[in-house]
Amino acid sequence: MSDETYMKLALECAQRGCGWVNPNPMVGAVVVKDGRVIGTGYHQRYGELHAERNALACCTEPPHGATLYVTLEPCCHYGKTPPCTDAILESGIQRVVVGSVDPNPLVAGKGIQILRQHGIEITEGLLCEACTALNEVFFHFIRTRMPYVVMKYAMTMDGKIATHSGQSKWIIGETARRHVQGDRHRYSGIMVGVGTVLADDPLLTCHLPDGRNPVRIVCDSRLRTPPNARVVQTTGEAPTILATCLRDETLARPYRDAGCEVFTLPAKNERVDLRKLMAVLGEKEIDSVLLEGGGALNWSALQNGIVNKVQAYVAPKLFGGADAKSPVEGIGVKSLEQAFKLAPPQVTYLGDDILLESEVLPCSQVS
């Protein structure tokens, strides 16, 4: 088999860590000797052994003289685990094939350099695009210390997220909704505005049998979230953060007593300053946020320049109605030239629905 085949296997291994390793990257490793796979591994949980050490530990025979395929450059520093470069050197591995270079300043080519200095043959950049795309969240977070924000919404083909009476369950079908739950497992946090809490009283947890619940974040400038709301009463099931502009501890106390965290942040246009909020979430090691708010929060997020990707689930339905809500509200842009620019979308078919995913390109109207 070819180098590409083994790296694809390493990528498949890496994906098994999805949702469990944040804010670390997903990494997979494969050990090949004499044309045979003798060991595979992946980074399974944050704080536990990295992919290279897991792959070497499960080898069915001594890996001396073998080739190691790894989707991300081996680490060379002490963190929660010892350097993977040490384990590779001790194993007798002869060649290492690397998918993408680690952007972490503590690594950033140093791991490859150490291995080369010890006589190990290095091949860099194999399936680099796929290996980098696997860890778009990690690459963004390690470089900016800000969460990677995905703005998600479900709409009809005429661009409505609810009927004129406010009904929205369910616009998309079961297959698409299951995909959404997968993203709730994948991303560290999920964020809505207080309007969504007041209208729907959502739980905002992951409904997959073996899924991980995201940290729930409610943008609530004036602390209007009802103390009996499900996101408040279920903090034992999933953490909840309320982001507010109020500095009244008396108003905040019921939420803190229920187990919520309350972040008091500066106001911007009479709402929580979303860029300040992202900075605080980054300090909390929340590397990614799935934005599931309404049109007002979506517009504010775009205006503040915090959105990295847009996910539009589109159902083959038409609602009509001049007053039916759309995914992005606010004042909107004045001219075509001011539009938020998106990269060409990736299209995924999910039952009767389709998912359009586009990166947000730099634009001039961010304030």
Side-chain angles (χ1 to χ4, degrees):
M1 290 194 289
S2 66
D3 283 348
E4 287 80 5
T5 300
Y6 294 127
M7 187 59 80
K8 286 178 181 177
L9 177 58
L11 280 164
E12 291 174 8
C13 292
Q15 290 167 354
R16 295 171 64 185
C18 179
W20 300 111
V21 299
N22 309 58
N24 280 355
M26 291 178 275
V27 184
V30 174
V31 183
V32 177
K33 187 173 183 179
D34 299 328
R36 294 173 289 107
V37 174
I38 64 170
T40 63
Y42 67 101
H43 185 29
Q44 299 178 10
R45 293 286 192 279
Y46 175 70
E48 296 184 4
L49 293 179
H50 291 180
E52 300 93 325
R53 288 182 176 271
N54 282 331
L56 291 169
C58 78
C59 282
T60 56
E61 61 183 89
H64 190 275
T67 297
L68 172 69
Y69 296 83
V70 61
T71 57
L72 187 68
E73 176 185 8
C75 68
C76 56
H77 65 288
Y78 280 89
K80 292 186 177 296
T81 60
C84 288
T85 50
D86 288 357
I88 294 169
L89 294 173
E90 292 166 3
S91 71
I93 287 286
Q94 184 177 352
R95 177 179 177 234
V96 176
V97 181
V98 177
S100 56
V101 174
D102 191 336
N104 187 339
L106 296 174
V107 187
K110 300 183 186 71
I112 290 173
Q113 182 181 9
I114 288 171
L115 296 178
R116 275 204 175 110
Q117 288 173 344
H118 285 80
I120 293 178
E121 179 186 347
I122 302 292
T123 301
E124 294 183 56
L126 184 65
L127 301 185
C128 181
E129 186 174 341
C131 292
T132 300
L134 175 71
N135 283 307
E136 61 185 2
V137 167
F138 172 74
F139 275 56
H140 172 82
F141 183 67
I142 203 71
R143 288 168 174 158
T144 67
R145 302 307 298 179
M146 301 273 276
Y148 185 88
V149 178
V150 178
M151 186 175 81
K152 165 260 168 184
Y153 51 83
M155 68 179 186
T156 59
M157 285 184 67
D158 57 342
K160 306 299 183 182
I161 62 172
T163 66
H164 72 84
S165 63
Q167 294 182 21
S168 61
K169 294 183 179 179
W170 297 101
I171 290 177
I172 52 177
E174 184 179 347
T175 302
R177 296 201 303 272
R178 188 162 56 247
H179 191 277
V180 172
Q181 295 303 317
D183 279 345
R184 287 188 178 187
H185 166 79
R186 176 183 181 184
Y187 298 117
S188 296
I190 183 170
M191 187 165 80
V192 299
V194 65
T196 297
V197 175
L198 293 172
D200 301 332
D201 192 22
L203 196 54
L204 301 178
T205 52
C206 177
H207 302 160
L208 298 178
D210 299 318
R212 177 195 56 84
N213 287 327
V215 176
R216 301 171 296 187
I217 305 146
V218 181
C219 291
D220 187 357
S221 302
R222 293 177 286 163
L223 283 181
R224 294 187 294 144
T225 298
N228 64 348
R230 294 202 292 173
V231 292
V232 176
Q233 294 300 313
T234 58
T235 53
E237 184 177 348
T240 298
I241 295 170
L242 298 178
T244 184
C245 302
L246 296 183
R247 298 186 177 276
D248 189 332
E249 182 56 34
T250 302
L251 293 177
R253 187 172 298 120
Y255 306 109
R256 296 190 198 277
D257 290 345
C260 300
E261 288 190 86
V262 180
F263 294 169
T264 303
L265 297 160
K268 185 175 182 180
N269 299 324
E270 299 182 350
R271 297 177 183 272
V272 170
D273 186 325
L274 293 181
R275 290 198 67 82
K276 296 288 187 184
L277 174 57
M278 292 303 110
V280 172
L281 294 178
E283 292 172 0
K284 293 280 187 180
E285 297 289 293
I286 296 174
D287 66 350
S288 49
V289 171
L290 185 62
L291 186 62
E292 288 200 15
L297 182 60
N298 288 345
W299 169 251
S300 183
L302 286 167
Q303 261 198 320
N304 281 273
I306 68 167
V307 181
N308 301 103
K309 178 186 283 188
V310 175
Q311 287 185 332
Y313 291 83
V314 184
K317 301 173 183 176
L318 301 173
F319 283 173
D323 296 327
K325 290 185 174 296
S326 63
V328 182
E329 297 179 352
I331 191 173
V333 300
K334 185 176 181 179
S335 66
L336 295 176
E337 291 74 19
Q338 292 177 316
F340 291 88
K341 306 297 193 304
L342 305 177
Q346 175 182 325
V347 182
T348 305
Y349 290 87
L350 299 166
D352 293 336
D353 309 309
I354 62 171
L355 169 61
L356 303 175
E357 295 181 277
S358 291
E359 296 287 328
V360 178
L361 301 177
C363 51
S364 59
Q365 75 276 23
V366 173
S367 59

